[in-house]
Amino acid sequence: DTEVTQTPKHLVMGMTNKKSLKCEQHMGHRAMYWYKQKAKKPPELMFVYSYEKLSINESVPSRFSPECPNSSLLNLHLHALQPEDSALYLCASSQGSYYYGYTFGSGTRLTVV
Amino acid sequence: AQTVTQSQPEMSVQEAETVTLSCTYDTSESDYYLFWYKQPPSRQMILVIRQEAYKQQNATENRFSVNFQKAAKSFSLKISDSQLGDAAMYFCAYRSAVDGGFKTIFGAGTRLFVKA
């Protein structure tokens, strides 16, 4: 299995809703990432979960919270989002070595209404 | 801080021709890795090619090759025998080997159009 699986593929939520994005990989990668990508822009790092340690991009608002139940799963919990949070959310994973780059999922297209 | 610059927002190439996408970066580090990622309209980003900074030899992967000029901090991607399936957004990326190496910096991207 050489994939990163993200669910759902599309999500529409209201500003008062609570929802979660799910990311799963079975490649034995020890690092997983959440990226946010606006249209025609490069991905922006939100969170890194590596070897049971969470690293946060300090510019990410607290209405986004990551959770890593185990080394194969990475969730992103969403609460009280704003319309400007509408974007493509990409999950990625990587092996321990820097050389291998990232394996990306196909993303969740999030629309906040 | 490191930066990655892709100066060509869009490029166009005729099918079967060769095209070169430019990328420059700025860093004071000596140990790092460079990547090109492809993002087609299907939106999944795919690793195309990678280069270790300590290697002078340019990386190649089938029709894809890079021209890595470390002193000039340049890392261009050459696509030979372009195919319709090469049409995508291409991102150049820099990954530091310090601080755990978990932060990858992406360029703004180059949209490649392939004409039949």
Side-chain angles (χ1 to χ4, degrees), chain A residues 74-93:
Chain A
L74 184 64
N75 300 321
L76 185 63
H77 300 300
L78 316 172
H79 173 55
L81 295 193
Q82 302 297 309
E84 60 265 29
D85 297 322
S86 298
L88 180 66
Y89 288 83
L90 292 167
C91 177
S93 69

Side-chain angles (χ1 to χ4, degrees), chain A residues 15-89:
Chain A
M15 289 188 284
T16 59
N17 290 159
K18 287 184 181 181
K19 296 286 185 183
S20 297
L21 309 184
K22 181 180 176 180
C23 175
E24 189 169 11
Q25 58 89 12
H26 295 288
M27 296 176 282
H29 289 178
R30 298 303 301 272
M32 296 183 74
Y33 312 77
W34 280 113
Y35 277 87
K36 174 183 177 181
Q37 187 179 26
K38 301 288 272 186
K40 299 182 181 180
K41 296 291 185 182
E44 300 173 39
L45 181 65
M46 300 177 73
F47 303 104
V48 178
Y49 220 107
S50 175
Y51 295 90
E52 291 83 46
K53 182 180 177 183
L54 173 66
S55 298
I56 299 172
N57 181 340
E58 294 181 358
S59 66
V60 175
S62 59
R63 54 186 182 266
F64 295 91
S65 59
E67 178 201 15
C68 194
N70 58 58
S71 59
S72 299
L73 277 174
L74 184 64
N75 300 321
L76 185 63
H77 300 300
L78 316 172
H79 173 55
L81 295 193
Q82 302 297 309
E84 60 265 29
D85 297 322
S86 298
L88 180 66
Y89 288 83

Side-chain angles (χ1 to χ4, degrees), chain B residues 12-19 63 79-86 112-116:
Chain B
S12 182
V13 64
Q14 201 72 32
E15 197 175 8
E17 299 287 304
T18 296
V19 65
R63 298 183 296 107
I79 306 174
S80 304
D81 185 26
S82 296
Q83 301 175 358
L84 294 177
D86 295 334
L112 178 65
F113 297 94
V114 181
K115 300 176 184 176

Side-chain angles (χ1 to χ4, degrees), chain A residues 9 37 98-99 102 104 106, chain B residues 37 39 43-44 50 100 104:
Chain A
K9 294 193 183 304
Q37 187 179 26
Y98 316 126
Y99 171 75
Y102 294 163
F104 282 90
S106 57
Chain B
Y37 288 91
Q39 189 175 35
R43 77 196 190 193
Q44 182 170 8
R50 58 187 154 223
T104 293

Side-chain angles (χ1 to χ4, degrees), chain B residues 40-69:
Chain B
S42 64
R43 77 196 190 193
Q44 182 170 8
M45 291 189 68
I46 303 164
L47 178 63
V48 175
I49 198 166
R50 58 187 154 223
Q51 175 80 42
E52 302 101 308
Y54 60 84
K55 282 192 177 179
Q56 291 186 333
Q57 185 174 6
N58 290 323
T60 62
E61 287 286 344
N62 301 313
R63 298 183 296 107
F64 299 88
S65 61
V66 298
N67 184 2
F68 174 49
Q69 302 290 328

